[in-house]
């Protein structure tokens, strides 16, 4: 094999290698985006939806206790409910929140804190001002409803990101096939081309 032949083979192999490296980097980036979206949908949306559901159940228990003037609930259960609520809030805060979500969540926490202050003296004032407490409960439930809607919208957005990344992978795969066919033809031309024969024919 002559030196020129070696150069031709090396050039052909490098072209194919460069294509494979470039397409792999593009595919890796798109697969990373899909993975991140799937993880986000699970950790930051589905898990959070479950937390919202659990917090809504606790708020409902408080609402029923106020409506029924349940002294036993506030004497025995409410402190435990508050601990569970705080645990759910801390777990929620550990997830990735959007700007809108953080604003709603902060409003929710403020309302929960206000309710706790009211509940601290609920047994002493014999469930007076029920309407004020129930109004606050309704605001808390509205906060939770808004948070649920945000999860749905964000989940839909993450799914859209995943679908776009998958579409790009499919597109680049098709382009890669066409380029490989083109490069195979180019490599064949480079390998088969012999300038000595061309010169001899011209002479």
């Amino acid at each position: 094999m002559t030196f020129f032949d070696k150069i031709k083979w090396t050039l052909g192999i490098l072209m194919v290698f460069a294509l494979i490296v470039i397409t792999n980097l593009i595919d890796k980036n798109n697969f990373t985006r899909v993975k991140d979206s799937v993880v986000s949908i699970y950790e930051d949306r589905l898990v959070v939806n479950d937390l919202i559901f659990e917090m809504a159940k606790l708020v409902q228990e408080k609402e029923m206790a106020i409506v029924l003037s349940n002294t036993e609930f506030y004497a025995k259960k409410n402190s435990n409910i508050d601990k569970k609520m705080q645990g759910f809030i801390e777990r929620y805060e550990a997830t990735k929140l959007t700007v809108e979500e953080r604003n709603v969540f902060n409003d929710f926490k403020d309302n929960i804190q206000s309710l706790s202050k009211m509940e601290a003296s609920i047994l002493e004032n014999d469930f007076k001002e029920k309407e004020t407490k129930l109004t606050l409960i309704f605001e808390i439930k509205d906060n939770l409803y808004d948070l649920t809607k945000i999860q749905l919208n964000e989940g839909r957005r993450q799914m859209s990101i995943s679908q776009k990344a998958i579409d790009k992978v499919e597109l680049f795969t098709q382009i890669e096939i066409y380029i490989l066919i083109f490069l195979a033809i180019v490599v064949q031309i480079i390998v088969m081309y012999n300038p000595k024969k061309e010169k001899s024919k011209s002479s």
Side-chain angles (χ1 to χ4, degrees), residues 27-109:
D27 288 345
K28 182 180 178 183
N29 179 55
N30 285 319
F31 278 121
T32 300
R33 291 178 66 186
V34 172
K35 178 185 173 185
D36 290 344
S37 293
V38 171
V39 170
S40 179
I41 289 170
Y42 176 74
E43 292 184 352
D44 301 323
R45 302 304 151 206
L46 291 179
V47 170
V48 165
N49 245 338
D50 183 60
L51 293 174
I52 292 171
F53 176 74
E54 293 297 335
M55 288 189 290
K57 281 168 60 179
L58 298 181
V59 171
Q60 190 173 24
E61 286 190 54
K62 287 175 176 287
E63 181 182 11
M64 290 301 297
I66 293 170
V67 169
L68 299 174
S69 300
N70 189 343
T71 55
E72 186 178 354
F73 174 86
Y74 281 97
K76 297 179 180 179
K77 290 184 66 177
N78 192 53
S79 59
N80 189 42
I81 295 286
D82 287 341
K83 286 179 183 177
K84 286 183 179 179
M85 181 69 77
Q86 188 57 39
F88 292 141
I89 287 173
E90 288 173 3
R91 285 175 61 189
Y92 197 121
E93 284 180 316
T95 62
K96 192 183 295 181
L97 279 68
T98 65
V99 175
E100 180 190 4
E101 186 177 13
R102 186 168 293 281
N103 291 335
V104 176
F105 189 63
N106 286 338
D107 191 32
F108 166 76
K109 288 193 298 181

